C-alpha cells in the first residue's frame, strides 16, 4: 500500500475518532477547545484529499505540509484537553493515532522536499 493511500485511510479514520471525542466533550459541557479540535482534527484528512488531487508535485507538497501543520495543531488541542482536565477521556488512543499521522506526514513532506531539491 502506498503511503498516500495509508495516510488517506488513517486521516479519515482519525477524523471519525475526533468526531466521537467532540461528542464526549459536548456531553461534558466543553464547547470551546473541542470546536478547535474538531476543526483541526477533521481538516487533516481534507488537506490530504486535496493533495491527492494536486496538479503538480509542488501543489501536493503544499497541501501535505498544511495537513502536517493541522496534525500538529490537533496534537496541541488533545494535549490541552488532557492536561487541563476539562474533559474526562482516555487520551492514549488519540495521542497514539495523531503521533502516527504526524510521523507519516513528516516523512511524506521531507521525502518530497528532498526530491524537489534534486530537480532544481
Amino acid at each position: 500500500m502506498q503511503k498516500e493511500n495509508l495516510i488517506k485511510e488513517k486521516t479519515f479514520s482519525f477524523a471519525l475518532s475526533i468526531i466521537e471525542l467532540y461528542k464526549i466533550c459536548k456531553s461534558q459541557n466543553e464547547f470551546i477547545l473541542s470546536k478547535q479540535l474538531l476543526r483541526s482534527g477533521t481538516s487533516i484528512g481534507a488537506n490530504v484529499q486535496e493533495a491527492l488531487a494536486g496538479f503538480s508535485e509542488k501543489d501536493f507538497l503544499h497541501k501535505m505540509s498544511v495537513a502536517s501543520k493541522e496534525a500538529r495543531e490537533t496534537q496541541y488541542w488533545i494535549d490541552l484537553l488532557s492536561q487541563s482536565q476539562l474533559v474526562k477521556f482516555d487520551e492514549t488512543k488519540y495521542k497514539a493515532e495523531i503521533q502516527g499521522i504526524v510521523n507519516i506526514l513528516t516523512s511524506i513532506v521531507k521525502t518530497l522536499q528532498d526530491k524537489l531539491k534534486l530537480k532544481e
Side-chain angles (χ1 to χ4, degrees), residues 15-25 93-94:
L16 292 174
S17 294
I18 288 299
I19 292 168
E20 288 302 313
L21 179 53
Y22 176 71
K23 290 177 184 177
I24 291 168
C25 291
K93 168 187 143 180
Y94 301 100

Side-chain angles (χ1 to χ4, degrees), residues 76-89:
Y76 175 80
W77 295 122
I78 291 170
D79 287 343
L80 196 58
L81 274 172
S82 172
Q83 291 183 26
S84 69
Q85 298 180 350
L86 288 171
V87 178
K88 291 183 181 9
F89 71 104

Side-chain angles (χ1 to χ4, degrees), residues 48-67:
V48 168
Q49 288 282 14
E50 286 186 43
L52 295 173
F55 55 86
S56 69
E57 286 181 325
K58 285 185 179 182
D59 186 37
F60 178 84
L61 175 60
H62 173 71
K63 293 296 183 187
M64 282 296 189
S65 296
V66 172

